[in-house]
Amino acid sequence: MTTTTTAPVTTHPVPLLERLRVPSGFVMGAVLLLGVAPLVLSDFRLSLLAKYLCYAIVAVGVSLAWGRGGLMVLGQGVFFGLGGYAMAMHLKLTDAAATGETLPDFMQLYGTGDALPWWWKPFANPAFALAMTVLLPMAVAAVLGFFVFQRRVKGAYFAILSQALAAALSIWLIGQQATTGGTNGLTGIQGFFGYSLDDPVNQRMVYFVIAAVLLLLMALARQLFVSRYGELLVAVRDSEERVRFLGYNPANIKLIAYVVAAGMAGLAGALFVPAVGIISPALIGVVPSIGFVIGAAVGGRASLVGAVLGAIAVAWAQSTLSDEFPAAWTYLQGLLFVVAVGFLPGGLASLSAVLRRRRPRTGTRTTGETA
């Protein structure tokens, strides 16, 4: 009688520095955003940074859906706008009530009558409005994604559908001047849940809220990345048919990523409103949707930190360069996207890895070198 023995499985413990890399990164980010930035930046610069961080929140969702799942989400402006308008509608109603009015100022200007539109009325409730900033974008994404993914629409066709949805929403908002403000959008927002936005102290409070939400969503996305679901999402991106053969439904896996990314974009739009004081169709159409993707692509869509830093950098460049070169900035933005996708797919976050691969290894002989 023979017996078989199995070799013991040896496990290699993860080095302490490697285990501390992610927590230390979050701590460093929290220190920079919540401690250093408010100390060294003026109120104006801090308000600009708050605006850029809203774009970074969208980039977190883009990193999940596109970087991890391979979904070219070129319609995030739709969900950003839905969240923004949901928040702005509540704040406009609150501002009107503070002055003893029942209608927002633009409705009085355009003469919509004495009655508030029925679909505006629920947004007077702060709990309903806050919930809708996230649930409404997620519901729209769930309906659209269900039909798109079940029919196995992907690639360029999915991107075109996303762009068409962004264009349709923008056109609809412009046409509803009496109830949505039309081209101007919802402007002149004065308060934020009882706090005056004219007060610099309250503006700083809004910045802290936005920074904290960004850090929390990055932590959530990080957990999704390293979870079993994150592995399935990568598997669907790389080989959808193999995942289907293993008994999983790729449509449901992609739908979850798409809906979560939409919720993040909606929350970013909601926070954008008190940070800037306005939401309009110009901020949620085709061009802004492309801008969200460009930021993630330039920084590195597969890297959370890269996508966030890329979104902030591109938004800063747009604010800085568009003033000096208003006609050329759009072309430069398109060039950034082409270069990132065509020549550096991993974005700036992968630059060090690319340079390491191209560096000659120690001990190897180069062309023309004698033994």
Side-chain angles (χ1 to χ4, degrees), residues 1-7:
M1 182 177 178
T2 59
T3 59
T4 58
T5 58
T6 57

Side-chain angles (χ1 to χ4, degrees), residues 57-68 71 73 76 261 264 292-293 296-297 301 307:
I57 292 174
V58 182
V60 174
V62 173
S63 180
L64 174 66
W66 185 29
R68 205 71 175 176
L71 303 174
V73 283
Q76 293 304 94
M264 291 182 179
F292 292 142
V293 174
R301 62 181 184 269

Side-chain angles (χ1 to χ4, degrees), residues 170-195:
S170 180
I171 293 172
W172 181 82
L173 289 171
I174 292 173
Q176 304 297 315
Q177 186 172 13
T179 54
T180 65
T183 306
N184 296 328
L186 303 182
T187 62
I189 294 172
Q190 302 295 323
F192 181 61
F193 293 96
Y195 296 93

Side-chain angles (χ1 to χ4, degrees), residues 298-354:
V298 170
R301 62 181 184 269
S303 166
L304 274 176
V305 177
V308 167
L309 294 180
I312 295 174
V314 170
W316 172 83
Q318 181 178 5
S319 299
T320 304
L321 299 179
S322 60
D323 293 337
E324 299 182 9
F325 310 101
W329 164 248
T330 304
Y331 299 102
L332 178 59
Q333 192 178 41
L335 180 62
L336 283 173
F337 184 64
V338 171
V339 170
V341 174
F343 300 97
L344 197 63
L348 295 177
S350 65
L351 188 59
S352 60
V354 172

